[in-house]
Amino acid sequence: MRSRWIGGVLAAGLLGLGAISAACKNADCSSDSHRQAASLADGGKQAQQASRPTSPDAKGVHFSLPFFFGPPVQIVTFGSGIPSSEVTHIQNLLNRVNSIQRIRDFLGVRMNHTATIVLVKNAADYQAELRQLGVKPSDASSLSEDSNGFTLGSTVVIPLFQNPTDVDLANVLTHELTHVDINQHISNIPSWMNEGMAVYMGMNGQKAIENPVDFASDEKQDAEDILQVVQSNQLVPLTASEAAILSGQETYDYELQDWLAVCYLIAHHGKSSIQTLVRHLESEDPNQAFYDTYGETVSAFNAQFTKALKQSASVANAGVSFDISISPTYHGEIFVQPANQPVGHEFKAIPGKHHVTVTASGQVQADLPSIGTKKSKIPPTPGTMYVSLIPQRFGNVDGQKLLDAEMEIQIQNGLYTFENAWEELESNPMYDPSYLPEVLGVSITAIHDDAPNDPILTMLNAEND
């Protein structure tokens, strides 16, 4: 994953969630460990009554966030150093993302009790708040270092230091509030369903505000993590993941697998099937609820889902096409260097929207005037394609001569993801790096993997359903 995401690739099972379970009896504990989550589901309906709305020592400004559909969300701060403007910012972000309504539309149920969001500024306050919620000190210490959020019943704790951007916050807030809604309606839900729904909605909230190319790359990179697990023959069945989490034996980020499982269900049965599943889960055993919704057992579904992942893990690179938008302010050439190729193809930049195709063998075509092929100054790089911008006239940036600019696209498991962009100055080869797919007035507006039969792409398209 890109370095901007906080946390490790392994989930909170590393922290020993079996120990956390003692503090979370009759409650749902969810702890985010990269930008998604790991959870222990154990009696959510009772938790809504047992968990207090906020810590007795909570300090700071208290806001109520009213929503037309459902009860208010109360935002409070714990500890010191959080100005009222930050609370207002979270309030505005929730409204901007429309998290509560998104969750209601997805699950088909709405929160019937106030959700409390507790903001903490640093690891010490995060640890103190977790202890007050009943998490034992050793686990609170680990969670305060490695998790991006925590939910107990209807209380959500958000460590601001682990979520530095609005994209991070949109994901974790929507994710954790999904847990709250589930807790208030379902008393018995397997971890894979619980986390799969929450991760799906966290991504949904993130998608609402992130650059589309950046978001698509984020979700593909998350999927690549699981495909690598499949290739190493370490994939754990969905039904076994909960035992591994409880025992602290998690060997990879199970929540991404749970997310892809929910994406698979949506891709093959529609998003409305999740609402049907939730209705059955409110009154039925999870296995019966799943069967009544999808007409098959969880075991049979897991077999189909695993088969699809294995198929994706074996798909070869089939090439890519991407859309590019050129501003009238940019004058120069565009040079496309395919992965592991010493030469690339150069085109004259024409303002407007254009289409570029790169085959698996490294052939490049575009609806731009061709200048021809030439050797690249960048050595051939396996798994990395470069889109270079060569200005017609060299200008100066911060007193240095601007040489060119680069946009990097990575290829892994046959999936193409935008990585970053930067300018190259005379004395600074990577000036102003950015995760946005644009530089010098040229932007990549879409990336299309040329692999229509790849099951993982069908799953990822469920985020667009």
Side-chain angles (χ1 to χ4, degrees):
M1 276 194 193
R2 296 186 233 190
S3 59
R4 68 177 169 185
W5 296 115
I6 306 298
V9 296
L10 296 183
L14 289 173
L15 309 173
L17 283 176
I20 295 177
S21 66
C24 299
K25 285 186 178 180
N26 299 324
D28 172 82
C29 292
S30 303
S31 52
D32 282 353
S33 158
H34 52 315
R35 61 190 162 107
Q36 261 72 50
S39 77
L40 169 65
D42 186 6
K45 284 187 177 178
Q46 291 86 351
Q48 69 192 21
Q49 300 165 354
S51 65
R52 50 194 167 76
T54 186
S55 304
D57 297 335
K59 301 174 183 178
V61 181
H62 293 231
F63 280 78
S64 284
L65 184 60
F67 289 90
F68 182 77
F69 297 106
V73 172
Q74 182 182 220
I75 304 175
V76 304
T77 64
F78 178 84
S80 59
I82 302 178
S84 59
S85 59
E86 183 64 33
V87 180
T88 303
H89 177 72
I90 297 297
Q91 179 181 20
N92 292 337
L93 182 61
L94 281 170
N95 279 327
R96 178 183 168 195
V97 176
N98 199 18
S99 295
I100 300 300
Q101 186 61 38
R102 284 177 182 273
I103 295 166
R104 184 195 178 192
D105 290 344
F106 179 64
L107 297 177
V109 293
R110 67 180 183 182
M111 289 188 291
N112 47 33
H113 296 277
T114 297
T116 298
I117 297 175
V118 184
L119 306 179
V120 295
K121 183 178 177 63
N122 53 51
D125 287 340
Y126 192 19
Q127 184 175 343
E129 172 64 6
L130 292 174
R131 288 200 305 267
Q132 291 202 26
L133 286 173
V135 177
K136 76 176 189 177
S138 61
D139 290 326
S141 176
S142 298
L143 286 167
S144 66
E145 296 176 358
D146 297 331
S147 65
N148 287 10
F150 186 89
T151 294
L152 176 65
S154 294
T155 300
V156 172
V157 187
I158 301 295
L160 296 175
F161 67 98
Q162 296 279 45
N163 298 281
T165 71
D166 281 357
V167 169
D168 298 315
L169 286 167
N171 187 311
V172 72
L173 285 165
T174 310
H175 178 122
E176 300 300 344
L177 288 171
T178 301
H179 281 308
V180 171
D181 206 347
I182 290 172
N183 290 345
Q184 292 184 1
H185 290 274
I186 302 171
S187 59
N188 183 17
I189 182 170
S191 176
W192 77 266
M193 293 184 193
N194 192 359
E195 290 305 329
M197 293 178 190
V199 175
Y200 180 91
M201 285 310 299
M203 296 292 280
N204 191 265
Q206 175 183 334
K207 181 175 179 285
I209 67 169
E210 190 172 26
N211 175 283
V213 172
D214 209 17
F215 172 78
S217 295
D218 286 339
E219 64 171 358
K220 285 185 204 175
Q221 288 178 352
D222 286 344
E224 288 167 355
D225 288 348
I226 298 302
L227 294 181
Q228 291 176 43
V229 172
V230 173
Q231 290 171 336
S232 63
N233 294 316
Q234 294 181 340
L235 195 71
V236 173
L238 293 171
T239 51
S241 64
E242 192 155 5
I245 292 171
L246 291 173
S247 65
Q249 299 301 311
E250 221 173 356
T251 55
Y252 60 89
D253 198 339
Y254 292 174
E255 293 72 35
L256 295 180
Q257 180 181 349
D258 303 337
W259 162 62
L260 289 175
V262 168
C263 287
Y264 185 98
L265 290 172
I266 293 172
H268 291 271
H269 300 278
K271 187 181 287 188
S272 62
S273 71
I274 301 299
Q275 295 187 6
T276 304
L277 177 61
V278 169
R279 286 198 299 271
H280 285 295
L281 285 167
E282 287 186 279
S283 58
E284 296 177 5
D285 169 86
N287 288 329
Q288 186 64 47
F290 189 89
Y291 186 86
D292 288 345
T293 302
Y294 297 107
E296 63 180 344
T297 65
V298 172
S299 178
F301 164 68
N302 182 75
Q304 295 171 19
F305 172 57
T306 301
K307 181 179 179 181
L309 290 178
K310 289 181 177 180
Q311 181 181 340
S312 284
S314 64
V315 170
N317 174 20
V320 69
S321 64
F322 58 90
D323 300 327
I324 192 166
S325 177
I326 303 174
S327 167
T329 61
Y330 177 70
H331 303 279
E333 286 77 46
I334 293 175
F335 181 73
V336 180
Q337 180 185 359
N340 208 27
Q341 296 288 327
V343 300
H345 202 113
E346 191 169 9
F347 302 92
K348 181 180 179 181
I350 302 294
K353 298 179 180 179
H354 301 279
H355 193 71
V356 179
T357 299
V358 182
T359 67
S361 63
Q363 300 299 309
V364 183
Q365 295 180 330
D367 57 353
L368 288 165
S370 174
I371 296 175
T373 60
K374 71 175 185 179
K375 186 175 181 179
S376 174
K377 67 176 184 178
I378 302 175
T381 309
T384 304
M385 178 171 72
Y386 295 99
V387 178
S388 302
L389 306 180
I390 306 169
Q392 192 175 56
R393 297 185 183 88
F394 296 113
N396 290 319
V397 178
D398 286 349
Q400 296 184 48
K401 184 179 179 181
L402 171 66
L403 301 181
D404 57 24
E406 312 285 347
M407 287 190 279
E408 178 183 341
I409 296 174
Q410 290 193 344
I411 307 101
Q412 187 171 328
N413 297 112
L415 299 176
Y416 287 75
T417 61
F418 171 80
E419 184 64 16
N420 50 25
W422 66 93
E423 297 173 25
E424 183 176 353
L425 307 185
E426 200 165 31
S427 301
N428 189 341
M430 196 168 186
Y431 174 80
D432 195 24
S434 170
Y435 289 114
L436 292 178
E438 55 190 35
V439 64
L440 299 185
V442 177
S443 60
I444 295 175
T445 58
I447 297 176
H448 311 280
D449 297 84
D450 189 14
N453 297 320
D454 187 345
I456 203 72
L457 293 175
T458 302
M459 295 180 211
L460 296 181
N461 282 337
E463 283 286 356
N464 302 316
D465 192 3

